[in-house]
């Protein structure tokens, strides 16, 4: 199915059968007067997609565009627990759709069946929600309630392959997604929060690939079984970029590949400052000399063979992990998903669920209109789709009109939203030309 048709199908399903199913589960519509479940979903989700800070009056204006003439006071009355439950249920229906482009972002990604960037982000919630979403706590009673978004982004197709909700206190390493199978030939890129030698063994047995930083303190052996003090061994190597087979985990040795290089003095100092600050905040302790020495290196671990991925390509791919952090930044700064706006807990949760669904739909529209172009600014694309929300709302009931609107959106995005000129190449440009990578190997 072409991406335009895929997005059209997803939109019509979300604002059709999914909304009706969520309405039945939540009981949000007791007596049909103005709103039914579908028009209510469109009003809140599309209203916040068009303007994340929308007021009740602006939501009433969106309802009017949909043929539901109501006052701002009627919108205010819809801020009830049943509406929050309805939108939460609709969110869970929405994320079951996996919308990705067949147009690959870069040839390097086509070597793998998928390239999953895996990470999470925390959204602090009102303390009243702590029974459902327990947080980690914090000073002055803060952080009692928090929601963790566990997200997986396929860098190859742009698809959000997983978007799950967990309690804020759940650690990344303990998430059930650690054991998800993505198929032979897939590549998973994740930060140290997901580091697990047991999980890496599972992936290798399933013919899946991983790319991660090496966690401090993990035992390392050479292929012949000789145990080494890693930093001492690295300092003795003559080459600046070290690419060497190793075995990790003394109890059950596991063969993999290490790629390492020394950081510049400026990078090392910055890393050490960050480490000291983090440890002081968490435990009130200073890091050990060995842990500080570790800050002078970047050490990657992977089971991808050199014939499939040379060291500079692995470096670029791991740098691409930052794209999921930028996705979270856009959701929070542009789509306001973490902003607890509203005078009551119910209002805040209605906005949270509406904005989350809107952010997912916004991502679909970007994938349909511009995925595969390394010169696009994703933050500009996020803003550009807002001007099409009215047309999308009007076309949801007519497939041909909706497809025409999505094609027009794609045409606009194709000619606009270019990245501002920068001194250094961006991640998407690096993925298409690894030779543009510039970093000092000291």
């Amino acid at each position: 199915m072409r991406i335009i048709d895929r997005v059209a199908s997803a939109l019509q399903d979300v604002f059709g059968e999914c909304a009706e199913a969520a309405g039945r589960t939540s009981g949000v519509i007791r007596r049909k007067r103005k709103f039914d479940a579908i028009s209510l979903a469109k009003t809140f989700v599309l209203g916040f997609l068009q303007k994340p800070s929308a007021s009740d009056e602006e939501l009433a204006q969106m309802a009017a565009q949909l043929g539901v003439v109501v006052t701002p006071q009627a919108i205010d009355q819809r801020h009830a627990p049943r509406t929050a439950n309805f939108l939460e249920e609709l969110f869970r229906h929405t994320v079951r759709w996996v919308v990705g482009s067949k147009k690959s972002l870069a040839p390097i990604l086509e070597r793998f069946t998928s390239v999953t960037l895996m990470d999470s982000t925390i959204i602090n919630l009102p303390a009243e929600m702590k029974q459902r979403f327990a947080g980690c706590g914090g000073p002055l009673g803060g952080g009692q309630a928090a929601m963790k978004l566990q997200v997986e982004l396929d860098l190859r197709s742009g698809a959000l392959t997983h978007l799950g909700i967990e309690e804020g206190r759940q650690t990344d390493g303990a998430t059930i997604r650690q054991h998800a199978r993505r198929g032979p030939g897939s590549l998973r890129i994740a930060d140290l929060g997901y580091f697990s030698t047991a999980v890496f063994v599972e992936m290798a047995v399933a013919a899946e690939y991983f790319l991660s930083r090496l966690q401090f303190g993990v035992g390392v052996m050479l292929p012949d079984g000789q145990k080494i003090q890693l930093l001492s061994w690295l300092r003795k190597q003559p080459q600046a970029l070290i690419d060497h087979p190793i075995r990790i985990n003394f109890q059950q040795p596991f063969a993999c590949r290490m790629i390492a290089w020394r950081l510049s003095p400026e990078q090392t100092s910055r890393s050490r400052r960050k480490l000291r600050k983090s440890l002081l905040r968490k435990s009130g302790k200073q890091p050990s000399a060995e842990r500080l020495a570790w800050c002078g290196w970047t050490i990657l671990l992977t089971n991808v063979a050199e014939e499939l991925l040379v060291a500079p390509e692995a470096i670029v791919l791991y740098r691409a992990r930052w794209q999921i952090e930028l996705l979270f930044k856009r959701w929070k700064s542009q789509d306001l998903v973490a902003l607890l706006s509203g005078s009551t807990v119910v209002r805040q949760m209605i906005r949270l669920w509406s904005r989350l669904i809107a952010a997912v739909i916004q991502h679909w529209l970007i994938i349909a209109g511009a995925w595969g172009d390394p010169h696009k600014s994703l933050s500009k694309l996020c803003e550009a789709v807002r001007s099409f929300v009215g047309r999308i709302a009007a076309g949801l009931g007519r497939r041909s009109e909706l497809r025409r609107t999505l094609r027009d959106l794609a045409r606009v995005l194709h000619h606009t939203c270019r990245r501002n000129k920068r001194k250094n190449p961006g991640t998407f440009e690096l993925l298409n030309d690894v030779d543009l990578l510039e970093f000092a190997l000291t």
Side-chain angles (χ1 to χ4, degrees):
M1 182 183 294
R2 293 177 54 206
I3 185 62
I4 293 292
D5 291 327
R6 178 74 173 170
V7 173
S9 295
L11 288 171
Q12 289 188 312
D13 187 47
V14 167
F15 296 112
E17 292 184 11
C18 290
E20 290 179 338
R24 289 191 296 271
T25 301
S26 63
V28 69
I29 304 297
R30 292 191 172 183
R31 297 191 306 276
K32 186 179 183 306
R33 293 178 179 174
K34 295 285 188 178
F35 284 111
D36 57 17
I38 291 175
S39 60
L40 189 65
K42 292 177 181 178
T43 295
F44 278 91
V45 175
L46 296 180
F48 284 111
L49 175 57
Q50 188 173 64
K51 185 178 180 180
S53 61
S55 64
D56 287 353
E57 184 166 359
E58 287 163 328
L59 292 177
Q61 291 168 1
M62 172 56 69
Q65 292 181 54
L66 298 165
V68 182
V69 180
V70 293
T71 64
Q73 289 73 26
I75 296 293
D76 176 64
Q77 292 169 5
R78 279 292 171 181
H79 285 84
R82 288 193 303 274
T83 305
N85 295 337
F86 164 67
L87 290 165
E88 178 181 354
E89 186 67 20
L90 182 59
F91 168 80
R92 298 184 188 280
H93 282 277
T94 301
V95 296
R96 293 172 188 165
W97 274 91
V98 177
V99 176
S101 174
K102 291 185 178 180
K103 184 186 295 183
S104 179
L105 191 61
I108 187 176
L109 303 174
E110 296 176 13
R111 303 174 194 176
F112 307 94
T113 55
S114 63
V115 179
T116 299
L117 306 181
M118 184 177 183
D119 208 347
S120 68
T121 189
I122 294 288
I123 297 177
N124 288 319
L125 301 178
E128 291 86 345
M129 300 297 297
K130 64 183 179 181
Q131 295 301 320
R132 287 199 59 206
F133 300 104
C136 298
L140 304 177
Q144 295 182 44
M147 170 191 296
K148 175 174 282 189
L149 302 181
Q150 198 67 243
V151 182
E152 296 170 26
L153 171 68
D154 180 12
L155 195 61
R156 175 172 170 160
S157 68
L160 290 170
T161 53
H162 177 77
L163 176 49
I165 302 294
E166 298 176 355
E167 289 188 333
R169 65 181 177 182
Q170 170 89 318
T171 64
D172 288 337
T175 178
I176 194 172
R177 296 302 301 175
Q178 283 277 66
H179 307 286
R181 298 274 66 84
R182 299 172 183 87
S186 61
L187 173 64
R188 192 194 85 168
I189 305 174
D191 67 11
L192 286 174
Y194 300 89
F195 189 96
S196 168
T197 55
V199 169
F200 294 157
V201 170
E202 287 180 17
M203 295 180 68
V205 170
E208 299 173 353
Y209 299 115
F210 63 84
L211 178 60
S212 168
R213 287 174 62 196
L214 178 63
Q215 190 173 66
F216 173 74
V218 173
V220 175
M221 297 183 292
L222 296 179
D224 61 6
Q226 176 189 353
K227 297 180 181 180
I228 61 172
Q229 205 293 320
L230 183 57
L231 292 187
S232 297
W233 184 87
L234 287 173
R235 294 188 191 103
K236 296 175 184 177
Q237 304 311 302
Q239 64 270 42
L241 180 59
I242 301 161
D243 187 351
H244 202 279
I246 61 169
R247 299 168 75 185
I248 61 172
N249 192 359
F250 294 156
Q251 301 301 320
Q252 294 180 315
F254 171 61
C256 50
R257 176 182 168 206
M258 176 184 66
I259 300 170
W261 65 97
R262 192 190 293 269
L263 300 179
S264 69
E266 295 79 11
Q267 291 171 316
T268 300
S269 295
R270 188 162 55 246
S271 180
R272 287 174 178 170
R273 287 195 300 269
K274 184 178 178 180
L275 174 64
R276 287 192 179 100
K277 183 178 179 180
S278 176
L279 281 182
L280 283 172
R281 185 182 70 251
K282 293 178 180 178
S283 64
K285 298 180 180 180
Q286 289 285 348
S288 66
E290 184 181 9
R291 184 67 185 86
L292 288 171
W294 190 270
C295 294
W297 294 82
T298 294
I299 306 172
L300 301 181
L301 195 70
T302 186
N303 64 335
V304 183
E306 185 176 8
E307 295 77 26
L308 186 59
L309 195 72
V310 296
E313 292 173 330
I315 293 170
V316 168
L317 274 178
Y318 192 76
R319 282 175 53 128
R321 194 192 66 79
W322 188 245
Q323 289 303 308
I324 200 165
E325 297 284 358
L326 294 177
L327 176 69
F328 296 154
K329 181 179 179 181
R330 292 192 297 274
W331 284 358
K332 291 183 176 182
S333 64
Q334 294 180 259
D335 300 330
L336 307 183
V337 297
L339 179 64
L340 295 180
S341 59
S343 56
T344 66
V345 172
V346 168
R347 273 187 167 271
Q348 292 169 7
M349 296 308 295
I350 286 173
R351 280 160 169 71
L352 170 63
W353 294 117
S354 297
R355 289 166 176 160
L356 278 175
I357 300 169
V360 172
I361 291 173
Q362 180 188 65
H363 188 78
W364 294 347
L365 297 173
I366 290 171
I367 298 303
W371 191 255
D373 187 340
H375 304 294
K376 294 300 182 185
S377 164
L378 293 175
S379 60
K380 290 183 179 180
L381 291 169
C382 282
E383 296 304 319
V385 302
R386 302 196 198 283
S387 61
F388 276 79
V389 172
R391 286 187 59 187
I392 290 171
L396 281 169
R398 302 186 299 279
R399 182 59 169 259
S400 60
E401 181 61 28
L402 181 58
R403 291 175 67 247
R404 185 179 301 111
T405 297
L406 295 178
R407 285 196 298 268
D408 289 346
L409 171 61
R411 188 159 44 249
V412 169
L413 299 185
H414 176 73
H415 292 289
T416 61
C417 303
R418 292 185 65 85
R419 289 178 66 244
N420 296 332
K421 290 185 178 180
R422 302 177 186 175
K423 180 180 179 181
N424 298 318
T427 297
F428 294 166
E429 291 166 302
L430 287 171
L431 287 170
N432 281 277
D433 187 357
V434 176
D435 292 334
L436 295 175
L437 179 66
E438 296 180 4
F439 67 101
L441 292 172
T442 59

